[in-house]
Amino acid sequence: MELQGNGAVKDLTVGEPARLIFYFTLPLLAGNVFQQLFGFVDTLIVGRFLGVEALAAVGCTGPLMFLMLGFVGGMTSGFSICTGQSFGAKNFDGVRQSAALCIFLSFAASIVLTIIGVTFCRDLLIAMDTPPEILDGAYSFISIIYGGVVMFVFLQMLTNLIRALGDSKMPTVIQATTLCINILLEPVAIIGLDLGIPGSAAATIVALTLGNILCIIYIKKRVHYLHVRREDFSFDREFLIEHLKIGLPMGFQSSIIAIGAVILQIALNGLGSVAVAAFAAAHRVDGIAVMPMMSFGVAMAAYTAQNFGARRFDRIVDGVKKCILMSCSFSVLVAIFNIYLGDDIIELFVGTEAVQVVEYGRLFLIVTGLSYWALALLFILRFTLQGLGKSFVPTLAGIIELVMRIAAAIFLVEWLGFLGACLAQPMAWIGGLLPLAVAFLFTARKLVS
């Protein structure tokens, strides 16, 4: 049901669950792919025009970007779950108050994250044992990204608010437009203005700024439920705590997982710049490949939040079952694609001459592809529990993922080399899935009883 005067806002509490989830996921999938393409384009342009060493420099910052931007994405998603619950309950004053609180908390988080990131990013790169030949390039990239983190925060926050009201189409359009701007600006900055690696980061920040402007224009013209008034910024303590109880654990959960990625990157750095470049390129491909599974999970967060607010608990369980079938089917198709075309994909980044980089990258895609089924289940169960407002078990699952990645970094990389680093992802996914599955089974019984 689309609501008049509010763009493509959709009520997810009525209609056939599988159909709703599928059609909500499609534009969400496109949007998530466009978001991942930011990193893909950065890596591709840098690798092709500036060489393998520059590729390694940008690539080794990936865990540090994930550390902060993962927190941002998780936090703003958590805040918007409260918005979706208010929308499902038809509490439209609550929707505006939640949006106002999201703006306030996002601004506060931006200030803190910028100060921390810019101050400590070089120390973190050194602590990660970044190879000396790529340290300066890595620092020049990540310091600019951290300096513009406010643009990441607000774009995530605004698009998550729009999705919380059932509109997954316009965030996709905005992300696609932002990506196109980025694709146009990067070659100009890197080659035309001869800015090198810093030009790549600066182009990304400029593109994100324009994306924020597009979001604000759309909300102002089409999404009246998010038209925040001055009085909406008067929060009571209970409402604030409700947002923090969901948003902060979701943010920290992503950061916990990212810490494992940082530790794994340290182990990779010890294998040399060839291994770092291969992992960077393959990880960018993997980041896009997992988007179908992640998108189904994010769709379940919005679907669950609205139905929980409407007290339609039977629809939540039914939706999970049907979403599992759809997402696992996609996971098999994506795995087949990565396994059989791995060589060709990695060659896009480094050309045909970097034989060892291509071989390493293909190995990563095969190992992770065979485990995508576990990731599909993990995303669905994690986001469903979060949509219900439950944060403890998803955080516990994140801690288990951290432990698994640390174990791979300490033991498997030493024993198996690059293969050990490849095994970190499957180990983390399967380990994190176990507590989520147990928690959901118990929760499902309570919902339908």
Side-chain angles (χ1 to χ4, degrees):
M1 179 177 68
E2 293 190 6
L3 305 177
Q4 295 297 321
N6 278 284
V9 168
K10 185 175 288 292
D11 187 347
L12 301 176
T13 65
V14 294
E16 207 284 314
R19 180 180 176 85
L20 282 173
I21 294 169
F22 181 76
Y23 283 108
F24 185 86
T25 299
L26 286 181
L28 190 62
L29 169 59
N32 284 332
V33 169
F34 282 123
Q35 185 174 338
Q36 286 296 315
L37 281 173
F38 269 104
F40 187 96
V41 168
D42 282 336
T43 308
L44 184 62
I45 293 176
V46 169
R48 276 297 193 175
F49 291 106
L50 300 180
V52 170
E53 190 171 290
L55 171 61
V58 172
C60 76
T61 66
L64 292 184
M65 291 183 65
F66 183 25
L67 182 64
M68 183 174 287
L69 303 184
F71 175 82
V72 167
M75 178 188 69
T76 55
S77 293
F79 293 158
S80 68
I81 282 174
C82 296
T83 313
Q85 289 177 349
S86 295
F87 184 77
K90 306 299 185 289
N91 177 11
F92 302 127
D93 286 336
V95 171
R96 286 193 300 272
Q97 290 168 0
S98 177
L101 189 50
C102 288
I103 294 170
F104 173 78
L105 292 173
S106 295
F107 180 72
S110 297
I111 295 174
V112 174
L113 292 174
T114 300
I115 294 172
I116 294 174
V118 173
T119 303
F120 296 107
C121 61
R122 188 175 186 90
D123 294 330
L124 288 171
L125 287 168
I126 294 172
M128 289 168 59
D129 197 24
T130 303
E133 65 270 20
I134 63 175
L135 177 60
D136 289 339
Y139 173 71
S140 67
F141 182 83
I142 195 65
S143 60
I144 294 173
I145 294 295
Y146 277 178
V149 76
V150 62
M151 293 299 128
F152 285 92
V153 173
F154 271 83
L155 188 60
Q156 287 287 324
M157 182 266 296
L158 293 172
T159 53
N160 279 326
L161 282 175
I162 295 170
R163 290 191 189 102
L165 304 191
D167 180 358
S168 60
K169 297 177 182 177
M170 186 49 61
T172 302
V173 174
I174 292 171
Q175 287 171 327
T177 304
T178 306
L179 175 67
C180 290
I181 294 170
N182 190 51
I183 291 173
L184 292 173
L185 290 179
E186 281 214 36
V188 173
I190 293 174
I191 304 168
L193 299 178
D194 196 26
L195 296 177
I197 293 176
S200 173
T204 298
I205 299 301
V206 172
L208 290 169
T209 302
L210 295 175
N212 275 289
I213 293 172
L214 291 175
C215 271
I216 293 170
I217 293 172
Y218 176 70
I219 290 173
K220 184 176 178 60
K221 290 184 174 294
R222 300 297 305 278
V223 191
H224 299 159
Y225 290 129
L226 297 179
H227 285 189
V228 176
R229 305 161 300 186
R230 180 176 298 180
E231 56 266 31
D232 292 323
F233 284 91
S234 299
F235 324 119
D236 61 55
R237 182 171 178 271
E238 183 178 346
F239 199 55
L240 173 63
I241 292 174
E242 180 184 351
H243 283 69
L244 293 177
K245 280 175 63 177
I246 300 177
L248 289 184
M250 286 181 66
F252 285 125
Q253 171 195 311
S254 296
S255 292
I256 288 169
I257 296 171
I259 291 171
V262 170
I263 294 172
L264 181 62
Q265 186 69 49
I266 295 172
L268 271 167
N269 289 343
L271 297 178
S273 59
V274 170
V276 172
F279 194 86
H283 203 263
R284 293 301 190 192
V285 177
D286 177 69
I288 296 175
V290 303
M291 283 301 103
M293 291 78 81
M294 182 178 180
S295 299
F296 276 111
V298 174
M300 283 306 302
Y303 173 85
T304 301
Q306 285 198 22
N307 281 280
F308 182 76
R311 320 305 288 176
R312 298 295 306 274
F313 303 138
D314 57 318
R315 288 175 56 82
I316 295 173
V317 177
D318 187 31
V320 168
K321 293 177 181 177
K322 292 174 179 176
C323 191
I324 286 175
L325 179 61
M326 290 186 287
S327 187
C328 285
S329 298
F330 269 92
S331 73
V332 173
L333 294 175
V334 174
I336 292 172
F337 181 87
N338 270 11
I339 289 170
Y340 282 97
L341 295 178
D343 285 9
D344 298 326
I345 298 172
I346 300 300
E347 285 177 0
L348 290 175
F349 292 90
V350 297
T352 57
E353 294 81 13
V355 177
Q356 191 64 62
V357 174
V358 174
E359 285 298 316
Y360 276 166
R362 182 173 184 272
L363 176 63
F364 178 92
L365 294 178
I366 291 173
V367 172
T368 54
L370 293 174
S371 307
Y372 281 163
W373 62 270
L375 183 63
L377 295 174
L378 182 145
F379 275 135
I380 291 171
L381 300 184
R382 171 181 287 160
F383 279 103
T384 297
L385 290 171
Q386 290 170 339
L388 294 170
K390 298 181 181 295
S391 58
F392 174 75
V393 175
T395 302
L396 174 62
I399 294 172
I400 293 175
E401 288 191 55
L402 167 64
V403 172
M404 292 297 185
R405 286 189 171 91
I406 292 175
I410 294 175
F411 301 108
L412 294 187
V413 173
E414 179 71 24
W415 180 33
L416 299 173
F418 190 81
L419 175 59
C422 297
L423 291 170
Q425 295 273 65
M427 287 173 55
W429 296 339
I430 294 172
L433 174 61
L434 296 178
L436 292 171
V438 173
F440 177 75
L441 289 175
F442 278 102
T443 302
R445 289 179 182 177
K446 291 181 180 179
L447 289 175
V448 298
S449 62

